Structures are given as structure tokens and as C-alpha cells.
Amino acid sequence: MNRIVAKRVVTTFHSFKVVRRGLSNDAVIGANSPSTNDQVNTAYKEKLDLTNDPYDIAVVGGGMVGMAFACALSSMPLTKQLNVAIIDSNPALGKQDNIKKDDLPDPRVSTVTPAAISFFKDIGAWQYVLQHRHAYFDKMQVWDYTGLGYTRYTASDVETDILGCVVENKVLQSSLLSCLQKNTEFQKTVYPSRLTSMTVGLPTQPNSATSGIAKLDLSDGNSLFAKLVVGADGGKSRVRELAGIKTTGWNYSQNAVICTVKHAVENHCAWQRFLPAGPIALLPIGDNFSNIVWTMSPKEASDCKAMSEDDFLKAVNHALDYGYGPHPQSNSDGYSGDHSWEVPPNVIELASERMVFPLSLKHAKDYVANRVVLIGDAAHTVHPLAGQGVNLGFGDASALSKIIADGVAVGADLGELSLLKKYEAERKPANLMMAAILDGFQKAYSVDFGPVNILRAAAFQVAHYVSPLRRNIISYATGRQKWPLLF
Amino acid sequence: MASLKLARFLLNSNRKFPNQFSCFTKTSCNLQRRLFSDVTQQSSINLSSSPPTSPPPFHDSTTTSGGAGFGRRTPISSSLNESELLKFSSIAETWWDSQGPFKPLHVMNPTRLAFIRSTLCRHFRKDPCSARPFEGLKIVDVGCGGGILSEPLARMGATVTGVDAVEKNITIARLHAESDPVTSAIEYCCTTAEKLVEEQRKFDAVISLEVIEHVANPAEFCKSLGSLTVPNGATLISTINRSMRSYAAAIVGAEYILRWLPKGTHQWSSFLTPEELVLILNRASISVQEMAGFVYNPLTGRWALSDDIGVNFIAFGTKNSQ
Ligand SMILES: Cc1cc2nc3c(=O)[nH]c(=O)nc-3n(C[C@H](O)[C@H](O)[C@H](O)COP(=O)(O)OP(=O)(O)OC[C@H]3O[C@@H](n4cnc5c(N)ncnc54)[C@H](O)[C@@H]3O)c2cc1C
Ligand SMILES: C[S@@+](CC[C@H](N)C(=O)[O-])C[C@H]1O[C@@H](n2cnc3c(N)ncnc32)[C@H](O)[C@@H]1O
């Protein structure tokens, strides 16, 4: 059934409290039906009059991270009774799951780490991912264009079955939505709109740093009140801006070209090669498809987008094989075939449009302010290499939901800074570390100079041949370990 | 997960306090004198208020601020210690400033609420996984100050009455609770435990945290708390131990006193030891079932529950059924 309405989408009201809003779970509301619009408006007016009955939490941004956070709240006994608003004009939020298995894979994909997979399992969303296209991979090969170094590892190096899973973003998004809709006990209201302004704290309460509630104004003219505002509104976060939180970082003078490609055989390995202009990654996405994330200068990116399909495929195959430099030597000493260098499978067909994204590194100076907390890209954007971006966000969503549960257990005011600071203390150092590592990698490859190349290659060789180090790096990259290099 | 933490509290609850209580006899002579100051008058607890004590400014809400108007005499004994109340009255504006003079209470709050949650859930057979486990319980917070404890209790579902002898505190508490319908349901009154007893009020749980070290007569105060508790109900008290360590930590300890607490908030000699508290609660028909210490970790800036009752501690007791 279609739950989109003109003003708002109302999902479920199996509430333990009095149903405050006028629409029930089973109401089927057509977007164009005037009678139901009236109904909605009445419900909305009632809500406005109840300005002293605020939401516990308003999640601004129903992207993958905001939705994962809402799901996490709906899945825990202590938090599932919270009254939550989700604000996002993204139409995907009101949609039925209409992804077809035989659609070609979308070029926007995420590499989900084992840590994020167990989070999805905990909140009950992974089962929906499994109903769609997804590609587990158990091998990873990273090498560089100088031919001096490579590293290749398998899941068994760290005694697991998989190193990660590549999933289309739209699948993650719709799985989280299905999961949220299944938890009918959870009181949530979706506002299909955008945040325009925000006021925190009420002036009537002197000398109280934690006083008041936040008032949110939306682009459709609606307003709502919440005790806590969760900014999950992406890299250009409006919440962050309105809360006056500054960021540090820079735009890489780089773009990423992404697309779906087809092979003659199925790919089970995640491949990444560092080229002079930036890395190219070839990620399995199921059937005979792979996803390409190729970092390069803006000029090269627009060339790549403009060139003919054949030329582009040639360029990709070139970049993943002999282009820019020789194959690394496969040292077979001590390692079985599983660890020797291989050529990635040939790309035979372009299966989607080519999309270009600018890259940036941005880190919020604070993750929290009075009654405001940032998660996901709103708090940090990192270089897409190693596919950590959204995984850091899932880590944020998981940590924040647990801290909120701890707060509920002791009757805390959820917008209280001291509670939110615990989240910041848990996430900020870890995310900064990952951002610095990815940025360092990026920087190391932006220099093409003999001695630097050899150093880089040496680092690869060390990483490849020193087993504990190698295990450590994999554990860190797969999210099983919070800190790198702690043996 | 929160539930895991709770489980840990439950496990830890089987403490070794009974043994510690057995050392009463040694000091009992001393205790008698200290604890029943109304009998012996010459008490080391009752420092500044001059007996016989005077009634509080119960409903005389317009003029009072703290210690004012204590001159009238009544037959009921009073727990009011005028000079202590004046201190609280003078800093009432800062109750909700989490970095202000009451910072220790703010920081300690989650820890002590975790103890209250686990003991009350167990005692009243409430679901510890519920967001509002105290639904259906009537709780009084005696010496509620600005409502730092009353508000979370209300959010946890309790029907809360908060009382404090200082009118200004009650004003601040009411103002702060207004913004949220859940906390605005708290009944705040400027009154004392004795007065509530006189009015024959009864509560499922009586909670008085960090108050007993400021009252004129701890034994009488505990009696009032006992009378406010329904049979088989619960009483919770927290305070600072009269130990050498607490002396060092709370009075001399530069960080605690200089940065957190205004000078003279506590007089070490008026602190009770856990043994003394158990004894006077016993006389008030409350048997202490469980005790825990709060220990401060200066590295994390957080408090944790522990077996160490050497400095700050909390006691959970039940009212005998009779
Ligand atoms: C080229 C590229 C490749 C990437 N590859 C990977 C990868 O392989 N693996 C990986 O883990 N990560 C990858 N990332 C990063 C990943 O896409 C992001 O980290 C992730 O999308 C962040 O999710 P989010 O929910 O925080 O933000 P977003 O996905 O940006 O979602 C923000 C949401 O907020 C909404 N919104 C914005 N403003 C407002 C407002 N004012 N009011 C209401 N709603 C608002 C938007 O509509 C949107 O739905 C890649 C990124 C890029 C650019
Ligand atoms: C240290 S504060 C504790 C506040 C609160 N219980 C808490 O722990 O957050 C002590 C409070 O007890 C109040 N108080 C002191 N003596 C009292 C008495 N005899 N009766 C009622 N309240 C009293 C003071 O006004 C002050 O607000």
C-alpha cells in the first residue's frame, strides 16, 4: 500500500500511549485524494496545538545512516517506545520495496564490512538485504602501478568466512525501511520535507544549559519539536550548519567515476589498484557484474564520462592490468596460490551510466551540541577507498542507539549534553583515525617520485609478509577491530 | 547493551555487607550518643541548629528563601538545619548548570539511577527491560533540590512527589520540569519529610539522596522517611561516609571541594558511616538489603558502582511489614 500523503507519511501507531495523530496504521491514503488530505491537515493541526508534547527524537535525513539509526532504536526494548520523527524529502522513504531482482545493478553501491553486517543482523535488517542482490567476497587484492608491491588476503587469514559484502545503496535503504515498517510497535512519523531552520532551547529557562527542546522548521511550512535532533543529513548537513558546528578538511582535487560493468565470469574478489592519479576499485556485485569506483582528476573524469563505451572499457581494462606500469612479481615463498598476485577478470560490457562525484575529506569539529548530535556523513566524509564511508556511519548509528538506550534506562533527558558526549568520546577518535589513514593513503599516492614509490611498495610488502600485521590490517579494515596496529 | 549492564548490577548486588555490619558492637556506645542527639543534646551531628527545633516554612511560599522564618516552635521535631539550608538557597539558581556547583550530582546521576532502577525493579518485580519500569509506583524524592533526580524518576514512569525545605529550589525545579509533559506531572512542594508524615502521606518508595548529611537530626529524619514508606515499600538513602578517606576526598581533596562544591557544603563530622545508617534505619523499621559505593574515576570523569563504600555510598532498604 502506498503510504505517501501530501503533508506527511504516517506509518504505524500501535502505540502504548494515546494515539495522538489521527491516522491509523491501516489507513490507505492516496496522495491525490482531497478528502484524505483534509484528514491529514486536521491531524497536523492537532499536533501543532500539542507543542508541549514534543518528539523524543527527530532524525533529520533518512539516508542509509539515519534509517539504520531509526531501525536500531526500533529494535531495542528500551528504545522502541520512543516517539521518533524522520525528516527527509527523499521519495524512497515512502516507497514500497519495488526493486526487481533482474534490474541491472545500480552504480551506487557500498562495501559493507563484517562489523556492519552484524549490526544489520542485530537490528533485523540483514534478512531483507539477503532477499536482494548482494555479493559476499572473501578475497581482496591491493597493488600499485609501480609493480613493486601488492598485498592479497583472504577471509581465512582472519579466520572468518567473508571480508565484506557489496550491496547496492538502494537495497540497503529499502531493507532498512522494510525493517522499520515491520516493527509496528515503534511510533514513528515520516515528514517528507526538508529542514530549513532550527531553534534550540527556550529562553524562559534561565541558567540551564540543558534546558528546553529543539524546534524544527520544515520547507513545507510544518514545524515540530524534539528533545533530541539527530543530524543524519549527509556531507552538506544543514543540522551541522544550524547548530554552528565547524568542520575541518578539504576537497580533494579529485572526482570518482562510478559505474556497473559486466564480466564473462563471476567475480568474488575486491580489487584495488593505486594509479598515479588515484585508486581504481573493482568490486563484485553479484551475477557477472562488478562495480567500478575510479578516482582521478576532474578533467580526466569528465573525459572518462564523455568517451565512447568501447574506449572507456579499454581504459578500465588497461588500468586494471598493464596500464601505467608492470604487474607485481608474485613471490611464492611461503605462500600458497591463494596469496599470489592475479590479474582481475576482464571487463566486457558497460552496464550502467557513468556517474561522477567530487570527493572531499571533512570532519566535524564537534559531533554534539546542546540537543544536537551528528551521525554518518554529517559528522565525517572520508575518501571512498577501502569503502569505509558508510560503515563509519553505521558504527555511529550503532553506538548512538546504545548510548540512548543506556540513557533511557536511567531516565536521562535524551538531549542532555553529558549523555551525547559519551557518543562523541566513543566515535570521534575512531573515525578520525580512519579518516587520517585513508587520507594518508591518498596523499601517498598523489606523489609519483621514485623513492616514495619504493617506500610505499615496501610498506605493501611488509603488510603482505608479516602475518600478524596483515591480520591486524584486515581486522581493522573489516571493522572487527576498532584500532589499527594494536596487537 | 543496557540490559547487560543491568544484569551486571544484579550480579554484583550480592555483596558482603552483612559482615561489615557485624562490627557495630565496638562502636555502639559512641553511636548511641551521636545518633540520638535529641536525647543527649550534646551531639556531634547537630552542629548548627539550636534545639529545640522549629517548623519549616511549609506553605508560606511567598516570603521564604531557605532558612528564613524558622522561629516558631511546634511539637514536631524538625530536620531543618538552618545554616545548611542557607547555603543551598544561595546557589539555587545553579541547579541545572551541569558544570556548576552541583556538577558532582549531575555526573553521579546515571550511576545512582542505575542502582535505584535495579533495586526497585527487583523489589517491585518490574520489567527491567521496560523504558518505564516504575509505572504505577508512587515515589517521593525528599530533599529534591532542583529536581535532578525527580525528573529521571518521572521519565522512568513513576508518579513523583519532590519536596525540599528551600522554596527557591522548588521554584527552579518546577520551572525546569515545565518543558516536558512527563516531568511537568511531578508534584513539587516546599515542605519537609516530617510535615508529610503529619499529613499521613505514604509512598511505595522513599528516596533521599545526599540530604541526610545536611539535616539537623539524622535519626529523626530516618524515622520520618520510614513513616512515609508503605509496609513492604522501599527506602533509598545515599550520603558520604565519615571515613578518613572521605575526609581527604571530600573536604581536603582540592578537586572535589575547590572546583565542584562551594566551601562549607559538607561538615565532615556530620557524616554517617554505613554502620550508623543501617542502625538508625533499623530503628525506623527499615531493613537495609543492599548497599553500594560510588567511586569516582578521575580519568574518565565518571562514577561507577562498586563494593567500596569508603566514601560515597547508597543504601536500599525495605520497610518491615508488621
Ligand atoms: C563516489 C562515492 C563512492 C562511495 N563508495 C562507498 C563505498 O564503497 N562504501 C562505503 O561504505 N561508502 C561509500 N561512499 C560513502 C557513502 O556513500 C556515504 O558515506 C553514505 O552515503 C553516507 O550516508 P548518510 O546517510 O550519512 O548520508 P547520505 O547518504 O548523504 O544521506 C543524507 C540524507 O539526508 C537527506 N537530507 C539532506 N539534507 C536534508 C535536509 N535539510 N532536511 C532533510 N533531509 C535532508 C538527503 O535527502 C539524504 O537522504 C561513497 C561515496 C562516494 C561519493
Ligand atoms: C545535596 S542536595 C541533594 C539534592 C538531591 N537530592 C540530589 O541528590 O540531586 C541537598 C538538598 O537537601 C535539601 N535539604 C536539606 N535539609 C533538608 C531537610 N531537612 N528537609 C528537606 N530538604 C532538605 C537542601 O535544600 C538541598 O536541596
Side-chain angles (χ1 to χ4, degrees):
Chain A
M1 92 186 126
N2 185 0
R3 289 198 174 95
I4 307 178
V5 295
K7 279 266 176 203
R8 53 201 286 181
V9 179
V10 179
T11 43
T12 53
F13 295 113
H14 276 256
S15 55
F16 71 103
K17 284 186 193 164
V18 187
V19 175
R20 306 175 320 176
R21 287 164 287 258
L23 301 169
S24 86
N25 185 27
D26 300 312
V28 181
I29 301 152
N32 303 318
S33 144
S35 64
T36 47
N37 272 351
D38 284 345
Q39 229 178 315
V40 173
N41 286 334
T42 328
Y44 173 64
K45 275 190 206 108
E46 274 165 24
K47 170 71 190 158
L48 255 197
D49 293 338
L50 291 165
T51 47
N52 57 348
D53 200 0
Y55 287 98
D56 292 307
I57 300 179
V59 182
V60 182
M64 291 182 282
V65 175
M67 289 298 282
F69 172 68
C71 274
L73 291 181
S74 76
S75 72
M76 290 186 288
L78 282 167
T79 51
K80 69 178 176 207
Q81 299 180 0
L82 293 173
N83 187 9
V84 175
I86 302 169
I87 302 155
D88 198 326
S89 56
N90 185 346
L93 273 186
K95 252 187 222 151
Q96 285 274 1
D97 172 3
N98 55 2
I99 301 170
K100 291 186 200 74
K101 257 214 135 121
D102 46 2
D103 284 348
L104 289 179
D106 193 86
R108 275 158 301 194
V109 304
S110 292
T111 314
V112 187
T113 60
I117 293 173
S118 42
F119 169 59
F120 266 61
K121 284 181 179 162
D122 286 347
I123 64 179
W126 195 248
Q127 49 173 317
Y128 299 104
V129 174
L130 295 182
Q131 291 168 8
H132 297 100
R133 190 192 333 260
H134 60 279
Y136 286 110
F137 61 93
D138 60 359
K139 290 189 215 60
M140 207 155 164
Q141 175 175 300
V142 184
W143 73 111
D144 75 358
Y145 68 94
T146 62
L148 293 173
Y150 80 94
T151 183
R152 190 179 162 92
Y153 33 78
T154 62
S156 56
D157 288 340
V158 281
E159 282 124 34
T160 54
D161 296 331
I162 54 148
L163 291 173
C165 187
V166 184
V167 188
E168 289 156 77
N169 288 357
K170 66 177 188 192
V171 168
L172 290 172
Q173 180 92 33
S174 86
S175 300
L176 290 164
L177 186 66
S178 304
C179 172
L180 203 57
Q181 283 171 343
K182 177 208 59 185
N183 290 332
T184 49
E185 235 182 298
F186 189 55
Q187 287 194 74
K188 61 198 173 285
T189 310
V190 179
Y191 288 81
S193 181
R194 300 184 84 72
L195 176 72
T196 50
S197 72
M198 178 170 83
T199 329
V200 179
L202 293 178
T204 55
Q205 298 184 343
N207 302 312
S208 53
T210 59
S211 72
I213 51 175
K215 177 171 184 272
L216 305 179
D217 300 312
L218 310 186
S219 56
D220 61 3
N222 283 346
S223 295
L224 59 134
F225 292 84
K227 295 181 213 166
L228 173 65
V229 180
V230 176
D233 48 349
K236 297 197 175 89
S237 172
R238 183 90 179 117
V239 172
R240 186 180 68 215
E241 186 190 334
L242 292 168
I245 298 174
K246 302 254 177 320
T247 57
T248 51
W250 47 85
N251 292 327
Y252 296 107
S253 55
Q254 276 184 322
N255 284 355
V257 175
I258 64 171
C259 60
T260 309
V261 294
K262 198 169 181 185
H263 310 285
V265 290
E266 184 148 3
N267 174 15
H268 292 288
C269 176
W271 313 83
Q272 183 154 286
R273 185 179 188 214
F274 287 90
L275 302 175
I280 180 170
L282 183 77
L283 305 168
I285 179 66
D287 303 328
N288 287 352
F289 296 105
S290 282
N291 180 268
I292 296 231
V293 183
W294 190 358
T295 312
M296 56 186 80
S297 73
K299 165 85 180 63
E300 290 168 310
S302 59
D303 291 350
C304 253
K305 202 177 162 167
M307 69 179 63
S308 75
E309 195 177 315
D310 274 355
D311 289 344
F312 180 71
L313 291 180
K314 266 187 210 130
V316 168
N317 284 322
H318 184 67
L320 287 167
D321 199 341
Y322 273 112
Y324 310 94
H327 291 172
Q329 289 294 317
S330 252
N331 275 321
S332 51
D333 42 309
Y335 281 104
S336 60
D338 241 6
H339 289 105
S340 52
W341 187 86
E342 282 177 27
V343 188
N346 206 42
V347 168
I348 56 167
E349 199 182 308
L350 185 63
S352 77
E353 57 173 321
R354 287 158 273 180
M355 303 169 88
V356 178
F357 291 93
L359 300 181
S360 70
L361 174 103
K362 220 181 250 169
H363 211 115
K365 284 202 171 133
D366 300 298
Y367 283 17
V368 301
N370 195 19
R371 302 206 173 270
V372 174
V373 55
L374 304 176
I375 58 174
D377 276 22
H380 42 72
T381 55
V382 297
H383 195 282
L385 62 85
Q388 285 302 325
V390 79
N391 292 295
L392 294 183
F394 291 145
D396 295 346
S398 166
L400 182 61
S401 63
K402 283 179 186 148
I403 279 164
I404 286 180
D406 288 351
V408 169
V410 295
D413 171 357
L414 300 182
E416 206 173 87
L417 204 53
S418 57
L419 183 71
L420 304 178
K421 285 268 185 201
K422 288 184 194 165
Y423 158 75
E424 183 180 73
E426 185 174 335
R427 293 304 297 170
K428 198 175 161 189
N431 289 343
L432 264 174
M433 171 74 82
M434 182 57 89
I437 288 175
L438 296 180
D439 190 48
F441 252 111
Q442 170 56 30
K443 290 236 166 62
Y445 276 93
S446 54
V447 197
D448 184 18
F449 176 58
V452 177
N453 293 354
I454 290 167
L455 273 178
R456 262 189 332 239
F460 262 126
Q461 298 294 22
V462 168
H464 190 74
Y465 289 107
V466 181
S467 291
L469 181 65
R470 175 195 169 90
R471 264 199 297 278
N472 191 286
I473 290 171
I474 308 168
S475 290
Y476 180 58
T478 54
R480 296 202 317 174
Q481 191 173 306
K482 194 169 162 194
W483 302 104
L485 309 183
L486 300 177
F487 296 102
Chain B
M1 287 263 308
S3 49
L4 258 181
K5 284 192 188 158
L6 288 174
R8 221 176 302 134
F9 291 143
L10 300 183
L11 280 177
N12 283 343
S13 62
N14 235 338
R15 295 199 169 76
K16 45 183 189 282
F17 296 116
N19 318 342
Q20 299 196 2
F21 300 153
S22 62
C23 61
F24 288 162
T25 41
K26 278 189 279 175
T27 50
S28 58
C29 274
N30 234 333
L31 279 180
Q32 293 298 326
R33 203 159 46 75
R34 277 181 40 76
L35 295 174
F36 305 101
S37 52
D38 48 340
V39 182
T40 57
Q41 292 306 337
Q42 191 44 46
S43 151
S44 54
I45 293 176
N46 194 340
L47 280 172
S48 46
S49 80
S50 44
T53 43
S54 36
F58 301 130
H59 304 295
D60 175 13
S61 59
T62 43
T63 53
T64 20
S65 65
F70 295 162
R72 287 164 289 159
R73 292 173 176 246
T74 76
I76 29 162
S77 96
S78 162
S79 59
L80 299 175
N81 176 335
E82 195 172 342
S83 66
E84 289 288 297
L85 295 180
L86 275 173
K87 288 173 204 159
F88 283 109
S89 179
S90 68
I91 52 171
E93 301 284 307
T94 64
W95 271 108
W96 287 96
D97 176 358
S98 61
Q99 300 303 309
F102 293 108
K103 179 176 174 178
L105 297 179
H106 284 280
V107 183
M108 219 187 239
N109 225 18
T111 316
R112 58 194 198 171
L113 280 155
F115 182 84
I116 294 172
R117 182 187 176 94
S118 77
T119 51
L120 292 188
C121 278
R122 203 157 3 124
H123 181 68
F124 292 106
R125 301 211 157 74
K126 298 285 186 178
D127 176 8
C129 288
S130 161
R132 294 168 59 81
F134 297 166
E135 215 130 56
L137 291 184
K138 273 169 67 179
I139 300 185
V140 65
D141 177 8
V142 177
C144 61
I148 294 178
L149 186 81
S150 300
E151 288 195 9
L153 292 174
R155 282 190 208 99
M156 288 158 87
T159 305
V160 181
T161 302
V163 303
D164 200 285
V166 174
E167 181 72 37
K168 265 196 192 170
N169 293 349
I170 292 299
T171 310
I172 297 281
R174 281 204 189 110
L175 198 60
H176 191 271
E178 256 170 26
S179 71
D180 181 341
V182 177
T183 51
S184 65
I186 299 171
E187 175 200 17
Y188 281 118
C189 299
C190 179
T191 184
T192 62
E194 310 83 270
K195 186 66 186 172
L196 291 178
V197 173
E198 218 183 42
E199 291 165 6
Q200 302 191 328
R201 299 280 302 263
K202 295 278 178 197
F203 300 90
D204 299 307
V206 175
I207 308 184
S208 185
L209 305 191
E210 314 303 319
V211 177
I212 199 167
E213 65 272 25
H214 304 286
V215 307
N217 187 328
E220 282 301 319
F221 182 70
C222 283
K223 265 196 193 141
S224 302
L225 299 186
S227 310
L228 291 175
T229 315
V230 298
N232 293 317
T235 310
L236 284 132
I237 294 184
S238 77
T239 185
I240 303 186
N241 196 343
R242 194 180 71 256
S243 64
M244 285 321 285
R245 262 198 309 143
S246 74
Y247 186 73
I251 306 290
V252 190
E255 164 145 276
Y256 203 109
I257 195 84
L258 294 182
R259 297 212 5 240
W260 288 359
L261 290 177
K263 275 214 179 65
T265 312
H266 292 98
Q267 278 149 317
W268 184 72
S269 56
S270 59
F271 296 168
L272 293 168
T273 65
E275 295 81 0
E276 289 164 353
L277 184 64
V278 168
L279 200 69
I280 61 176
L281 279 174
N282 228 357
R283 307 211 172 197
S285 307
I286 308 284
S287 20
V288 173
Q289 309 287 339
E290 202 173 321
M291 239 193 247
F294 296 127
V295 290
Y296 180 69
N297 180 342
L299 289 180
T300 57
R302 302 216 183 119
W303 293 82
L305 284 174
S306 94
D307 284 349
D308 177 4
I309 52 176
V311 183
N312 296 84
F313 66 97
I314 184 165
F316 160 77
T318 49
K319 172 83 175 281
N320 304 340
S321 46
Q322 293 145 26

